[in-house]
Amino acid sequence: MNKKHKWLFNFSSSTVGGGLIRILETIKWFDSNNGSYFIVNYRIKDLVSKYNKNNKYFFVSDNKFKRLLLDGYYIPRIIDEIGIPDVYFSYGIPVFKEIGRINWFHISNALTLKTDKISLPLKTLIQMMILKKRIIKSMRYTDIATGESEFSINLLKQEASKRNFKCHYDVLPNGYNIKSIKEIVNKKRELLLKYAISIGTYKYKKIEIALELFHHIKEANNLKKFIIVGSASNIPRSVINDKFVEIVPSMSRENLLNSLYNAEYYISTSQIENSSNAVLEALLLSKNIILSNIPSHNEMLRNFKTKTITLNNIEFHTLKNIYNNKIEAISWVEVFKKMFDIINNFKQSSDLS
């Protein structure tokens, strides 16, 4: 196990998307660096179990009722086995009591803190509202809180300050896999068919607006196809029936990165993001990009001179030939270095207070 700190990571609530990327990268890094303890969902057991040189895993099955109201029901038996961890890192799950010597909550989904004016199914809206109350309540036990953008951490700060909860806040961004990105960018772009691509089909992704943008730029850019990566069950029928749309339920990481690299445009019209892995990878790989004007996107674009596209009186950011620009992003290795920096900063501030 890690020589300086005994970490217990709780990643049990995430199995897909950006959450899965962070889980796998964290697990790989710690397994190569003295190891740690991980609470992980059974659904990704096969993906994580091979990293077993130094890590130890506790697998938790899905239980939506307990996930919503009794998070952490499995914690006591784990603590009985491993003892009190130096750092308990909870990814999106409220820290319902003091578990480690340092208790760290990481915002995994900005929707748990903001649902106002966001398009959500009623069931999801209710779930997010309940989780918000539990997250805010749990801040009394939280020593460190991080989010993947200033936007998300500021949402939490605002709620915690109303209740005079003291906490050390910081931004812990998404990283990128240097090896995977280098392998892609060293390839020649395949220009067999010009297409645009969008990733994610949840209701708040507003994929119908992304399709409107596609048609808005289609002729000027000779686009032949709009690829949508995600579940068709979340996509409006009008989008599914569009003759230019190709829906791909899922892609391997390699195919996804290749698709971003060869796309003429990446389009995201999301209403809210903690900080999008897909946008980060599009900024690293894609030729051109269109993004909705939301806080976390704006943070990622702060060093760019963007232009705008207006659709239905709504402005969207657009960047062309972005691979000629330097992207200020950090690798996953740097993300984990920052985790230890955050620990040290927290200890220093605690000693001074």
Side-chain angles (χ1 to χ4, degrees), residues 17-19 21-22 148 174-175 275-282 300 332:
I21 293 171
R22 183 177 284 269
E148 289 151 26
N174 288 317
S275 183
S276 169
N277 269 286
V279 171
L280 172 61
E281 289 167 348
M300 300 174 83
W332 281 113

Side-chain angles (χ1 to χ4, degrees), residues 47-68:
L47 293 176
V48 307
S49 293
K50 59 185 176 182
Y51 303 107
N52 58 11
K53 182 172 66 174
N54 292 300
N55 290 339
K56 180 168 182 180
Y57 302 98
F58 301 92
F59 295 101
V60 178
S61 59
D62 284 334
N63 186 314
K64 291 184 178 179
F65 173 75
K66 288 183 176 179
R67 166 76 181 96
L68 198 60

